[in-house]
Amino acid sequence: HHHHPTSKFSHYIFSLDFLLVPKQLFKTRIMLAVLFSCLIGVGLSETYPTFGETKWDQLKTTFGTNPWKAYFPVGLTEDAAKKDDWKQVMSCASSGGVGNVYIEDDDISVMPIYGQNGQVFGIILAFYDPGETSKVASYPFVKYTLLDGTVVYGVTAYYRDPSKVCEEGALLEGEVGDRLWIAQASAGAAADGGYGYYKAPLTEDVDALEQDGFDQGACFWGMGQHYWRDMSVDMDCNEAYPIFLLYNKGVLNAWGIAMSHDDRPDSEAVQKYSKKWEYPEGNTLKFFFKKNEMPTCLPTQGVQVSMHVYMNNPAYMLCIG
């Protein structure tokens, strides 16, 4: 049978100590396990889990060394958002099925998406204008028109099945959700919302991540183990893919975007309406990459604009173990 080394799935099943069969049946157990891994190996040879149970229990944005100016909470239900005075800027009807979208204090940078069932379904990280180089086909910015006519561009992540966001219905599993699917505008973000999704691996499967173009960066406390897509030492910063993924103890539980293009949003302009972005610059950027692997263009780009989004408590993201 075909067994691909990329299929880590069969090994997870082994680790459940295959049904804990008693010692006398050891041979049977081995046979069952081998048979099982063959079936799994064939069935899932090129895939990895992109949805399933998670231990995500909160949504917070923005890394910071001063906790009073960072780690801003996002309500896990539409009722919680309303109670915290967030206001609706898109509805299922107005958005062509994106969901019911809210913002806090006229700040478009963090726009949670709620389903018709009231649960959080995802989040959009938005700018009024991400810059022309960020709107080219290979970038994940989607253009949205808010209820008041304002146009914004956002990186959109769903934590639950996006096809169910505007269905009336029962509550779905998980406090935050069961996946991280990021809309890819490049797949043709037509007016009907016809875009594809990048489906992030829920576990830190280095082979799977590398197949998707993500390379391991550095682990940094309060963030986790970074993975950057299509980054290289001699790259052009105008071609930098903005999304990074973060794993802690082998599990996906945070992600974010980092803008380093020449025509990215101006940090001072952004600070006038938002307190939620981060502004890394210069040599501090090397903390996010392996030694000698940071793109040499990055520290020359001046003040950048970035955001971390957490699905677990960042206080435990300590890069230990």
Side-chain angles (χ1 to χ4, degrees), residues 6-300:
T6 52
S7 166
K8 293 273 168 52
F9 204 79
S10 46
H11 305 291
Y12 293 152
I13 301 212
F14 272 142
S15 68
L16 300 174
D17 206 4
F18 213 74
L19 307 178
L20 299 168
V21 182
K23 279 221 172 67
Q24 314 75 290
L25 295 175
F26 193 69
K27 278 191 176 153
T28 319
R29 178 167 72 170
I30 295 285
M31 265 168 56
L32 277 172
V34 167
L35 179 68
F36 206 67
S37 77
C38 289
L39 293 173
I40 295 281
V42 171
L44 296 173
S45 58
E46 296 302 338
T47 59
Y48 47 79
T50 60
F51 61 92
E53 197 184 338
T54 68
K55 293 197 164 65
W56 303 338
D57 59 2
Q58 56 191 274
L59 264 185
K60 287 195 164 89
T61 66
T62 318
F63 171 81
T65 47
N66 176 348
W68 307 112
K69 293 185 177 171
Y71 309 120
F72 301 111
V74 175
L76 297 186
T77 63
E78 190 172 11
D79 285 345
K82 285 177 177 163
K83 209 169 112 187
D84 290 337
D85 293 325
W86 290 55
K87 74 165 203 251
Q88 190 165 5
V89 291
M90 286 194 274
S91 67
C92 270
S94 79
S95 64
V98 174
N100 300 307
V101 180
Y102 282 71
I103 62 173
E104 182 181 35
D105 299 332
D106 293 325
D107 180 352
I108 59 154
S109 58
V110 174
M111 309 203 300
I113 303 168
Y114 299 99
Q116 285 295 82
N117 69 0
Q119 282 181 304
V120 73
F121 255 76
I123 195 165
I124 303 169
L125 305 181
F127 295 107
Y128 291 109
D129 185 351
E132 290 308 308
T133 55
S134 291
K135 292 179 202 165
V136 300
S138 54
Y139 292 92
F141 281 90
V142 178
K143 184 177 177 181
Y144 294 110
T145 303
L146 307 185
L147 286 168
D148 66 3
T150 306
V151 171
V152 302
Y153 292 81
V155 173
T156 307
Y158 281 96
Y159 292 121
R160 305 182 194 276
D161 182 347
S163 71
K164 294 190 162 70
V165 67
C166 290
E167 284 177 11
E168 298 286 348
L171 296 182
L172 302 177
E173 285 290 300
E175 283 183 79
V176 175
D178 63 1
R179 69 195 70 202
L180 177 64
W181 287 9
I182 297 171
Q184 298 293 298
S186 56
D192 63 356
Y195 30 74
Y197 295 94
Y198 171 65
K199 301 173 181 180
L202 290 176
T203 52
E204 191 179 351
D205 181 334
V206 181
D207 296 338
L209 285 157
E210 283 182 355
Q211 268 178 24
D212 295 340
F214 278 96
D215 289 320
Q216 199 176 56
C219 197
F220 192 77
W221 62 270
M223 298 180 185
Q225 174 63 60
H226 288 77
Y227 279 82
W228 298 96
R229 194 180 205 174
D230 302 331
M231 289 280 194
S232 59
V233 175
D234 54 0
M235 71 179 291
D236 175 349
C237 275
N238 287 322
E239 289 169 11
Y241 184 76
I243 295 167
F244 55 85
L245 303 175
L246 291 162
Y247 291 81
N248 282 282
K249 296 195 170 159
V251 176
L252 177 71
N253 64 0
W255 67 284
I257 65 175
M259 306 288 286
S260 57
H261 296 210
D262 290 340
D263 62 354
R264 68 186 176 276
D266 175 66
S267 61
E268 286 179 22
V270 170
Q271 284 178 72
K272 288 196 172 80
Y273 67 84
S274 177
K275 61 180 184 184
K276 293 180 180 175
W277 291 98
E278 309 146 358
Y279 305 100
E281 62 180 309
N283 276 327
T284 56
L285 294 160
K286 67 175 183 284
F287 293 121
F288 307 131
F289 294 89
K290 283 186 175 167
K291 197 175 163 66
N292 304 326
E293 287 188 10
M294 176 179 71
T296 44
C297 61
L298 272 186
T300 68

